[in-house]
Amino acid sequence: MKIFRQDEQVFTDIFGIKMASLEAFPDVDRHGFAFGIIAAGEATDFHRHDECEAFTILQGSGILEADDGATAPVNQGDFIAAPPFEKHVLRNTGDTPLLFATVYWRDGATTAEATKATAPQADTHPPCFVFSTPPTPNGDLHLGHLSGPYFGADVFTRFQKLLGRQAFHITGSDDFQSYVIARGKQMNKTPQEVADYYASEIQDTLALLDVHLDQFTISSHAPGYQEGLKQFFNRLIASGQIKKTLQPAAFDPETNQYLYECDISGRCPTCGSGTGGNICEECGQPNLAYDLIAPVSNVSGGHPITAQCERYAIDLSAFSPAILEPLKEFKAAPRILSLATKVLDRDETTIPITHPQPWGVTTDDPEIPEQVIWAWPEMSYGFLYGIEAVGKKIGQNWDALSPDDNWRFVHFFGYDNSFYHAILYPALYKAAFPDWAPKIDYQVNEFYCLGGEKFSTSRRRAVWGKEVLSEETVDCVRFHLALTRGEVERTNFSIEALRSTNTHLIETWQAWLNQLGQTVSRKYAGVTPDAGDWSLDHKAFLRTLEACRTEVSALYTSEGFSLNQVGRAINQLVEDTARFVAAQSHLMEDEAFADRARTTVALQLAAALLLADLTAPLMPRFSAALRAGLGCDPLENWPQVVELLPVGNRIDLADRRFFSPEIGNREFDMDRTDAA
C-alpha cells in the first residue's frame, strides 16, 4: 500500500496550474493519477483532452465552467466526471488554495463516440451571420477571389439553411480603400466612379457563380452607414482605449504625401518578403509602413522620409484575452492562433486606425479633419451594419450598435486578411461593447495561384470570373474550385485542369446518370421500380451510401468545413456507384434474378438522389436538375438518412445534359486587363 501526501509531491505547471503526477500503479499504463492546486483567484487554462477524467475536490471551493457555457459551484467533497473533449475550466473563487485529486485514462470506445459528428438538426435560434470579406472595388473578381471567401461562405450558408437554421450571407463593397484611389488615378476617374463601376461588376460576377447574398452593403451609398460608422468610432474613443497617438509615419520625399498600403512598398520587417504597407500577405503580420526594409514610395519612386504623425491608434496588447480566448474556444485554424500569439508578443502592438487620406469617412475630431477611419477597422462596423440591414428586410429589430450575445458569426477570409478578422476586430468589439462576448468561427483559405504565382487584381494577373462562368459552366467551375481551392496550403489553378474536371463530369457523372435513365426506361417503363430481393452486396452498398452521407454532412459544418474533402467524397460516391453497377451487371439481364436486378436499380436511384442532395450546397443548379430528372422538387431539408426513391417516380435521365462541353472549347486571354 502507498500513501501519497500532497505536501510531499513535486508540482509542475500544467494547464495553467500546479500539478503533481502520482505513480500509484506504475505497471498500469492506462490510468494516471495526480494532485492539482489552484491558487486563490486563479483558474485552469481553457483546455480539452482526449482522456476520460474524474476528480474530487479535497479542499476549497470554486466554479466549474462546462462545454456549453454553463457554470456550477463545486465544493469540498464534490466528485466531477468529464468525458473526452469536453471543455472544462476549474476556477478558484475562494480565499485559500483549491486542492483536488484526479484520475484520468484513455478508453478507445468512449473517445471514438465523442469524436462522432452530431447529426445536424433543425434549429431556428440563434441566427448565424456568415461574413465574407468585402471585396475592394478596384477591379472585378478573379478566380482567386471567388474560390476563397465568397464560394466558401455561399456553400456554408446554403447548408445551414437546408438544416432549417437562420443563416445570412453578408458582404459588400469596400469602397473607401486606398487601392480605389490608386485605380482611379490609372483610369483618370474619381474614387467614387471607380467604386461604383466595380461594385456593380463584382455583384454581377458573384451572381454568375450562383453566390446568394442576403446583404450586399455598398459603403459609400448605404443609407445611414457613414453616420452609424461615426457613432461606432465615437464609442471606441469613449472607451478610453483608442487614443490619439503620436507615432512615426512614412511620407513621400517630393510631395510629402502620407504613404500607406499601396502607396509604399518594400520588404516585410518580420519575414523579409516583398510587401506593401500595413500588412504582409506572406506572413500575415502587420507593419507600420515606415518600418519596411528598403522602402520605396510608389508616388514618386523615391526613398520615403519618416516624420511624426498623430493618428487614432489601438494598443492590441490590452486586448489579449479578448483576442486569444475565442481563437482557442471556437473554430480557428492553428495558423491564425499562431499569428495572433506572434502579433501580441511584438515589441510594438499599437496600430493606427485612422489615416490622412482624401477619400473615406472622416472622424468627428476637428483637430484632424483630413483623417479618415481606416477601411479595415471600418469593416468591423460594416458587418454589424449588414446584420441590421438584414433585420429590416425580415422584420427583426437587430441593431448594429447593440449586438446580441445570441448572434453567431462565421467569418470567411483569405489568410492575408487574418490579422484584421481574428485580431483587430475582436479588440475593437471589446472596446466598443465591453459586455458583449461575440461567438465567432473563422474559416480561412490560402492563396489560389495562377502559374505558381498569386492572382493579382492590381497587376491584372488573373483569370476573371466572367471569362469562365455562365449558366452552362457554373456547376463545373464550382466543383473544380471545391476540389482545388487553397485550404491548408496554396494550390494552383490551370485552364487545363478545369477542362479535365469538366471532361470527368461529362464522361463519368453524366454518363452514369444517362445510362441509369436508359435502364429505367427500357426495363421499368421509365418509372422507379420497387426494390426486390436484397443480397449482402446490396446491404453493403447501402451502408456505403450512408457512410458518404454522414461524412459529407460533417464536412459542411463549421467544425469540419472542407470543400476539398467534400468534392473528393462526392466524387468517390459516383465512383463507388460505378463499381457497384459493374459488379451487378452480370445478373441485370438474367430473368432468374429479376428481383435482385430491381434492387440494384433502386439502389442506383437512391445513389443518384443522394448525389443530388449532397451537391445542393455545392452545385445548386446540378442538384435541382438531377432531382427534377428523378421526379423530385428541389431539396428543402438536409437528408438525415439515405432513402430509396419513391416507387413510381417518373425518371427523366436518359437524355438529360447536366454539363456543357463549352469550357473545353473556349479560348482564354490570360492577359486581359479588365479595364472599365
Side-chain angles (χ1 to χ4, degrees):
M1 181 177 295
K2 298 179 182 180
I3 297 177
F4 296 90
R5 304 187 190 281
Q6 174 260 321
D7 57 1
E8 297 175 351
Q9 305 309 310
V10 177
F11 286 79
T12 57
D13 293 326
I14 300 176
F15 293 131
I17 62 171
K18 299 292 185 181
M19 297 282 292
S21 180
L22 310 177
E23 294 189 2
F25 301 100
D27 296 331
V28 180
D29 59 5
R30 289 184 61 235
H31 289 74
F33 303 85
F35 282 131
I37 297 178
I38 306 175
E42 299 296 322
T44 63
D45 285 344
F46 166 89
H47 66 286
R48 297 184 180 98
H49 48 65
D50 66 305
E51 297 100 337
C52 303
E53 182 179 15
F55 55 97
T56 187
I57 308 299
L58 303 177
Q59 171 189 304
S61 61
I63 290 177
L64 184 68
E65 300 175 7
D67 200 31
D68 59 2
T71 61
V74 290
N75 298 286
Q76 182 177 339
D78 289 347
F79 183 85
I80 300 102
F85 305 120
E86 182 174 286
K87 167 194 170 183
H88 49 283
V89 174
L90 184 56
R91 189 177 304 278
N92 184 350
T93 57
D95 298 326
T96 61
L98 186 154
L99 175 65
F100 65 92
T102 179
V103 57
Y104 48 92
W105 67 97
R106 286 186 168 90
D107 179 79
T110 304
T111 302
E113 185 66 26
T115 60
K116 288 183 178 179
T118 303
Q121 300 295 326
D123 179 14
T124 58
H125 187 81
C128 177
F129 301 105
V130 185
F131 303 122
S132 52
T133 302
T136 302
N138 66 331
D140 203 348
L141 297 180
H142 52 61
L143 293 185
H145 295 129
L146 295 173
S147 68
Y150 313 108
F151 179 42
D154 177 68
V155 173
F156 179 79
T157 307
R158 288 177 183 274
F159 177 67
Q160 293 297 309
K161 290 179 177 180
L162 286 171
L163 295 179
R165 297 173 179 167
Q166 293 187 89
F168 307 95
H169 184 184
I170 297 172
T171 190
S173 177
D174 192 18
D175 287 2
F176 297 121
Q177 281 279 7
S178 63
Y179 295 90
V180 176
I181 300 175
R183 183 63 170 150
K185 291 177 180 177
Q186 294 174 353
M187 298 168 59
N188 196 28
K189 293 181 180 293
T190 67
Q192 188 69 69
E193 289 173 329
V194 172
D196 289 347
Y197 175 79
Y198 282 116
S200 177
E201 292 295 305
I202 285 167
Q203 291 179 83
D204 289 345
T205 300
L206 290 172
L208 283 172
L209 189 64
D210 281 344
V211 171
H212 175 78
L213 295 170
D214 296 283
Q215 171 64 19
F216 189 90
T217 303
I218 300 178
S219 56
S220 63
H221 293 295
Y225 179 89
Q226 297 184 40
E227 294 80 3
L229 173 60
K230 289 189 176 187
Q231 292 180 51
F232 174 75
F233 194 78
N234 289 337
R235 291 182 70 110
L236 296 176
I237 297 173
S239 73
Q241 296 177 297
I242 280 72
K243 305 173 183 178
K244 279 192 290 189
T245 306
L246 194 64
Q247 283 182 295
F251 295 85
D252 183 75
E254 297 182 10
T255 66
N256 203 38
Q257 178 181 324
Y258 177 84
L259 304 175
Y260 78 124
E261 295 191 327
C262 62
D263 298 325
I264 187 170
S265 57
R267 297 203 310 277
C268 174
T270 300
C271 71
S273 299
T275 185
N278 297 88
I279 201 72
C280 175
E281 292 186 348
E282 292 294 326
C283 69
Q285 289 261 13
N287 63 66
L288 298 172
Y290 78 89
D291 59 350
L292 295 180
I293 300 169
V296 175
S297 168
N298 295 327
V299 174
S300 67
H303 187 281
I305 59 175
T306 301
Q308 295 294 310
C309 182
E310 189 175 48
R311 296 157 292 182
Y312 279 99
I314 182 171
D315 183 358
L316 296 171
S317 65
F319 298 92
S320 290
I323 295 168
L324 293 177
E325 290 306 314
L327 291 175
K328 295 176 183 178
E329 182 166 1
F330 302 111
K331 168 68 176 179
R335 193 179 182 193
I336 299 179
L337 181 57
S338 174
L339 173 65
T341 303
K342 292 173 182 175
V343 169
L344 294 171
D345 284 344
R346 288 161 47 129
D347 293 334
E348 179 57 82
T349 57
T350 300
I351 304 295
I353 60 172
T354 62
H355 295 286
Q357 177 179 288
W359 168 244
V361 181
T362 59
T363 73
D364 286 333
D365 188 341
E367 295 181 357
I368 51 172
E370 80 287 357
Q371 291 199 20
V372 301
I373 301 167
W374 189 20
W376 285 104
E378 173 200 325
M379 200 179 293
S380 63
Y381 167 76
F383 292 139
L384 301 179
Y385 176 92
I387 293 173
E388 182 175 314
V390 167
K392 290 178 179 178
K393 295 175 184 178
I394 64 173
Q396 292 286 345
N397 189 28
W398 293 329
D399 187 344
L401 297 177
S402 299
D404 193 318
D405 281 340
N406 288 322
W407 293 351
R408 187 65 182 257
F409 293 176
V410 183
H411 284 242
F412 281 79
F413 54 92
Y415 177 74
D416 53 323
N417 292 332
S418 297
F419 167 74
Y420 306 116
H421 285 263
I423 301 173
L424 180 60
Y425 298 167
L428 294 172
Y429 288 148
K430 189 64 176 178
F433 312 109
D435 297 327
W436 180 40
K439 302 175 180 67
I440 307 177
D441 287 347
Y442 299 102
Q443 298 291 346
V444 62
N445 60 272
E446 298 288 344
F447 282 121
Y448 199 39
C449 298
L450 180 64
E453 297 183 22
K454 292 180 291 186
F455 281 80
S456 173
T457 299
S458 59
R459 292 190 298 272
R460 285 2 209 195
R461 173 183 170 75
V463 173
W464 305 96
K466 291 186 176 73
E467 289 186 291
V468 298
L469 289 167
S470 69
E471 292 185 0
E472 293 288 320
T473 65
V474 61
D475 284 318
C476 172
V477 172
R478 285 176 66 107
F479 183 68
H480 184 74
L481 294 182
L483 288 174
T484 61
R485 68 196 294 263
E487 291 188 348
V488 298
E489 61 184 5
R490 294 183 180 185
T491 55
N492 199 59
F493 171 83
S494 74
I495 294 297
E496 293 75 17
L498 176 62
R499 287 171 172 155
S500 178
T501 295
N502 194 58
T503 298
H504 173 75
L505 291 172
I506 292 172
E507 295 183 354
T508 303
W509 291 32
Q510 184 169 291
W512 160 54
L513 294 170
N514 290 162
Q515 184 180 41
L516 175 58
Q518 293 165 9
T519 299
V520 174
S521 177
R522 177 172 55 86
K523 294 180 64 70
Y524 306 105
V527 297
T528 306
D530 194 4
D533 181 35
W534 285 69
S535 69
L536 295 180
D537 287 345
H538 289 141
K539 292 174 63 178
F541 182 64
L542 184 60
R543 287 196 298 271
T544 297
L545 297 182
E546 178 57 30
C548 181
R549 187 202 65 80
T550 301
E551 179 186 7
V552 173
S553 297
L555 293 171
Y556 277 135
T557 65
S558 180
E559 182 181 29
F561 191 80
S562 171
L563 297 187
N564 289 169
Q565 295 183 82
V566 165
R568 289 194 289 267
I570 291 175
N571 191 60
Q572 188 63 51
L573 165 65
V574 177
E575 294 184 357
D576 286 345
T577 302
R579 184 176 184 275
F580 169 75
V581 171
Q584 298 299 316
S585 64
H586 303 285
L587 299 180
M588 285 299 296
E589 303 303 327
D590 191 331
E591 287 301 318
F593 294 95
D595 288 339
R596 286 200 172 184
R598 283 191 290 117
T599 305
T600 296
V601 172
L603 282 172
Q604 281 194 73
L605 291 168
L609 180 61
L610 181 62
L611 176 63
D613 291 353
L614 297 186
T615 54
L618 191 71
M619 305 157 70
R621 288 177 188 261
F622 168 77
S623 171
L626 179 51
R627 284 182 64 90
L630 294 169
C632 302
D633 294 330
L635 184 66
E636 294 184 355
N637 298 292
W638 189 252
Q640 299 298 310
V641 67
V642 174
E643 294 184 313
L644 298 183
L645 202 63
V647 176
N649 267 29
R650 176 63 57 181
I651 305 303
D652 178 22
L653 295 177
D655 300 312
R656 188 175 287 265
R657 192 181 80 166
F658 296 99
F659 305 102
S660 168
E662 178 183 346
I663 290 180
N665 297 331
R666 186 182 295 184
E667 295 297 324
F668 295 92
D669 180 5
M670 304 290 282
D671 297 318
R672 191 166 83 89
T673 60
D674 173 46

